């Protein structure tokens, strides 16, 4: 059921960008006239966003959902009732989104809970091809009670297809002909290797819609199926995204948090800030920073602009966690160079309330904590870090979530996706391709002898041997 308007408004997330502005942080901040010029520039980009909306199919995901979402729920219910482990095989957006949503919305120790206290089977998201990792997975799962969800739109992702090959061989050996009932494929409906295999082997299959790239795919079956299997309210997740999409349809960037955030970051880039730090002050949001890192880096890190001119643009995303990284990174953020912006993620109301009891009352430097709560402590530490970096003249802004739930997380996902797309328009680059990634993929294919990549293999060989004197 969709959130009623008054409930939705109470759960609206907000962005505070006071500390991006020169009037608050000094000469290294953004002046009002600079922002006004960016707003003028934005008019054409807003028109482009509206004109291109039809090709941004990821924006339609919160709206076009009835049949697909109902089938996801039905499949998720079947998995919950019949399996003890749910394993996602994927990499990039096929894994980072599901990891972030699972961490945000389920119990922090989800897999360690007894079955009766979990909302679904144990979940394992295998987003790498480290051989020790794969071996350790096979050591702990029971093939008879494990369901595998292989996710790759192209069906040519080497990492994911190698995982599928290993799991297929394993399940065939352990289960025989029944093995195919333990694999669900999420891929392109019409083309690619995985859809061919899925039809041949009889896997249940979900489809990634056309026009939805990996890093923008969390609100399609890529992310919704793993979430639903683990009991997450995917309707509320989609409702949150729909709600934020409505807010961010506003043409005035001063009333549009996604467009304003993009404009601020592009202004910052023009002032030499080539690093973007995301620092959640909640363990539940820790992996949102990982998901954001791919979204921002892969979308904006481009050699050429839309006119074919070499621009080498983009900001390097950095992941941090408050308060953990106050003790590892904040020294740099307060006293280091003015080459970065910080985005704090703040949570007003946590889902737990933990009091700090009276103990060691004879030690004043410790006793002052008594009677407070961890809730107060983590938010006080966030405010203190915000104050410290602001006082030192470093640009920062805060995205504020009333609480972490499916509705607010859906908003956050939509906000960051729209911010990224709009930044691409402001920078005049294609935010939806990744030619640099393709070069690495092609080189991997060549090294492993994939047919059709002989020229690339010869290119790699001709690169020559490493110089021995530079290896010590």
């Amino acid at each position: 059921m969709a959130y009623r308007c008054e409930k939705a408004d109470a759960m609206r997330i907000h962005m505070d960008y006071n500390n991006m502005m020169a009037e608050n942080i000094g000469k290294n901040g953004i002046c009002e006239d600079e922002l006004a010029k960016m707003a003028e520039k934005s008019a054409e980009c807003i028109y482009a966003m509206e004109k291109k909306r039809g090709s941004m199919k990821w924006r339609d995901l919160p709206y076009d959902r009835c049949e697909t979402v109902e089938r996801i729920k039905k499949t998720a219910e079947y998995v919950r009732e019949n399996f003890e482990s749910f394993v996602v095989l994927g990499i990039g957006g096929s894994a980072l989104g599901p990891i972030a949503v699972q961490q945000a919305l389920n119990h922090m120790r989800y897999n360690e809970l007894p079955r009766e206290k979990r909302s679904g089977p144990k979940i394992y998201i295998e987003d790498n091809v480290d051989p020790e990792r794969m071996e350790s997975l096979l050591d702990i799962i029971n093939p008879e009670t494990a369901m595998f969800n292989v996710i790759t739109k192209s069906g040519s992702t080497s990492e994911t297809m190698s995982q599928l090959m290993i799991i297929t061989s394993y399940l065939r050996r352990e289960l025989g002909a029944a093995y195919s009932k333990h694999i669900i494929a999420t891929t392109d409906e019409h083309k690619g290797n995985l859809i061919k295999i899925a039809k041949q082997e009889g896997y249940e299959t979900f489809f990634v819609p056309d026009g939805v790239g990996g890093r923008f795919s969390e609100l399609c079956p890529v992310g919704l199926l793993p979430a639903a299997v683990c009991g997450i309210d995917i309707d509320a997740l989609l409702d949150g995204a729909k709600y934020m999409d409505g807010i961010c349809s506003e043409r005035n960037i001063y009333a549009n948090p996604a467009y304003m955030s993009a404009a601020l970051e592009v202004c910052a880039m023009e002032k030499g800030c080539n690093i973007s730090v995301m620092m959640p002050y909640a363990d539940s949001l820790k992996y949102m920073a990982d998901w954001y890192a791919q979204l921002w880096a892969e979308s904006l890190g481009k050699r050429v602009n839309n006119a074919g001119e070499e621009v080498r643009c983009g900001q390097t995303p950095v992941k941090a966690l408050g308060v953990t990284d106050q003790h590892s990174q904040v020294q740099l953020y307060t006293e280091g160079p003015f080459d970065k912006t910080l985005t704090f993620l703040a949570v007003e109301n946590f889902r737990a309330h933990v009091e700090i009891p009276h103990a060691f009352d004879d030690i004043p430097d410790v006793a002052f904590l008594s009677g407070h709560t961890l809730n107060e402590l983590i938010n006080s530490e966030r405010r203190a870090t915000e104050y410290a970096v602001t006082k030192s003249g470093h640009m920062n802004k805060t995205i504020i979530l009333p609480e972490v739930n499916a509705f607010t997380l859906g908003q956050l996902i939509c906000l960051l996706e729209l911010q990224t797309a709009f930044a691409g328009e402001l920078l005049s680059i294609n935010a939806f391709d990744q030619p640099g990634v393709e070069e690495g993929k092609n080189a991997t294919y060549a090294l492993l002898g994939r047919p059709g990549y002989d020229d690339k293999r010869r290119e790699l060989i001709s690169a020559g041997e490493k110089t021995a004197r530079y290896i010590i």
Side-chain angles (χ1 to χ4, degrees):
M1 179 180 293
Y3 270 57
R4 294 203 328 258
C5 184
E6 60 271 22
K7 184 178 180 183
D9 290 344
M11 284 290 120
R12 176 176 172 171
I13 68 175
H14 292 276
M15 181 182 68
D16 176 356
Y17 63 94
N18 273 277
N19 299 331
M20 297 292 288
M21 305 305 293
E23 65 184 86
N24 290 311
I25 67 168
K27 64 180 181 180
N28 295 301
I30 298 167
C31 298
E32 283 282 0
D33 61 338
E34 291 175 311
L35 193 56
K37 288 177 182 177
M38 186 61 70
E40 289 178 16
K41 180 181 178 181
S42 295
E44 185 176 335
C45 297
I46 291 168
Y47 172 74
M49 287 287 287
E50 293 173 352
K51 186 177 180 181
K52 294 178 182 178
R53 171 145 194 160
S55 63
M56 296 181 187
K57 297 299 184 183
W58 48 273
R59 293 193 68 177
D60 295 334
L61 297 175
Y63 301 90
D64 301 336
R65 50 168 138 159
C66 294
E67 182 179 340
T68 299
V69 169
E70 289 308 310
R71 191 161 75 87
I72 286 171
K73 291 178 184 176
K74 186 176 179 180
T75 300
E77 182 179 4
Y78 170 75
V79 173
R80 284 197 301 272
E81 291 176 353
N82 293 279
F83 295 88
E84 290 300 317
S85 301
F86 186 78
V87 183
V88 173
L89 306 176
I91 200 164
S94 300
L96 291 169
I99 290 169
V101 169
Q102 172 68 19
Q103 174 77 5
L105 299 179
N106 266 331
H107 192 284
M108 293 279 183
R109 322 280 181 184
Y110 177 86
N111 276 2
E112 297 170 39
L113 291 172
R115 185 65 177 89
E116 62 272 15
K117 291 187 177 182
R118 263 187 282 116
S119 50
K122 293 182 178 179
I123 184 167
Y124 302 94
I125 301 176
E126 301 303 300
D127 64 338
N128 208 346
V129 289
D130 185 320
E132 295 181 22
R133 178 172 181 159
M134 177 57 72
E135 187 173 82
S136 69
L137 173 70
L138 299 182
D139 283 341
I140 63 169
I141 61 169
N142 177 352
E144 294 183 354
T145 59
M147 175 65 81
F148 294 84
N149 181 200
V150 54
I151 307 173
T152 164
K153 184 175 183 180
S154 68
S156 61
T157 307
S158 297
E159 299 88 352
T160 306
M161 296 308 290
S162 67
Q163 290 175 330
L164 177 61
M165 293 163 76
I166 292 165
I167 293 303
T168 297
S169 177
Y170 168 72
L171 291 177
R172 281 174 173 164
R173 183 173 65 250
E174 298 293 327
L175 305 178
Y179 100 93
S180 64
K181 302 303 179 185
H182 291 250
I183 297 178
I184 299 170
T186 305
T187 189
D188 189 277
E189 185 173 5
H190 303 292
K191 58 184 183 295
N193 300 311
L194 184 53
I195 189 61
K196 294 176 186 175
I197 294 169
K199 288 178 178 178
Q200 175 183 303
E201 300 296 316
Y203 303 157
E204 181 171 6
T205 309
F206 288 91
F207 304 119
V208 183
D210 290 339
V212 177
R215 56 190 179 274
F216 292 88
S217 66
E218 177 54 27
L219 299 179
C220 79
V222 168
L224 295 181
L225 178 60
V229 164
C230 294
I232 289 167
D233 185 348
I234 60 174
D235 284 316
L237 195 68
L238 292 165
D239 284 345
K242 181 178 178 180
Y243 177 74
M244 181 54 65
D245 185 67
I247 292 169
C248 294
S249 295
E250 170 62 57
R251 291 182 173 181
N252 176 6
I253 73 164
Y254 291 93
N256 186 318
Y259 290 1
M260 176 56 77
S261 188
L264 291 165
E265 292 296 339
V266 172
C267 273
M269 291 182 213
E270 292 176 351
K271 297 170 81 68
C273 291
N274 58 2
I275 298 170
S276 171
V277 180
M278 177 166 282
M279 192 170 188
Y281 269 77
D283 276 48
S284 60
L285 298 175
K286 176 180 180 179
Y287 292 109
M288 284 303 297
D290 290 62
W291 173 78
Y292 166 78
Q294 183 203 11
L295 181 69
W296 199 243
E298 203 164 77
S299 298
L300 303 187
K302 298 296 160 64
R303 182 176 65 86
V304 299
N305 63 15
N306 292 330
E309 302 162 330
E310 185 165 303
V311 290
R312 298 283 180 182
C313 73
Q315 273 183 321
T316 301
V318 172
K319 305 171 288 184
L321 177 67
V323 297
T324 300
D325 288 313
Q326 287 177 206
H327 299 269
S328 65
Q329 298 180 28
V330 168
Q331 171 64 31
L332 174 66
Y333 301 157
T334 55
E335 296 194 358
F338 296 96
D339 61 351
K340 60 187 69 65
T341 64
L342 287 87
T343 300
F344 298 112
L345 300 184
V347 177
E348 292 181 322
N349 298 299
F350 287 82
R351 293 166 294 194
H353 183 85
V354 178
E355 294 185 358
I356 304 171
H358 281 272
F360 315 115
D361 285 349
D362 57 329
I363 306 174
D365 289 347
V366 175
F368 80 96
L369 294 167
S370 300
H372 291 288
T373 65
L374 291 184
N375 308 58
E376 291 177 90
L377 180 58
I378 193 168
N379 274 327
S380 294
E381 298 234 30
R382 175 184 54 78
R383 289 175 61 194
T385 302
E386 178 189 340
Y387 170 77
V389 297
T390 299
K391 184 179 179 181
S392 67
H394 290 81
M395 284 189 276
N396 64 92
K397 62 185 187 294
T398 302
I399 298 174
I400 305 159
L401 288 74
E403 63 183 54
V404 178
N405 59 40
F407 185 74
T408 58
L409 196 71
Q411 289 181 65
L412 183 59
I413 289 169
C414 180
L415 171 65
L416 294 174
E417 288 180 341
L418 287 169
Q419 170 190 314
T420 302
F422 194 64
E425 292 298 325
L426 290 171
L427 293 166
S428 299
I429 54 99
N430 183 352
F432 306 108
D433 66 356
Q434 50 277 333
V437 176
E438 298 305 317
E439 177 66 20
K441 286 182 179 180
N442 292 338
T444 300
Y445 298 154
L447 289 170
L448 293 176
R450 179 175 171 175
Y453 288 81
D454 294 341
D455 288 346
K456 179 62 66 174
R457 180 171 175 80
R458 283 190 287 271
E459 179 185 324
L460 286 163
I461 292 171
S462 68
E465 297 293 325
K466 296 289 182 70
T467 303
R469 70 175 181 273
Y470 296 144
I471 303 173
I472 57 175

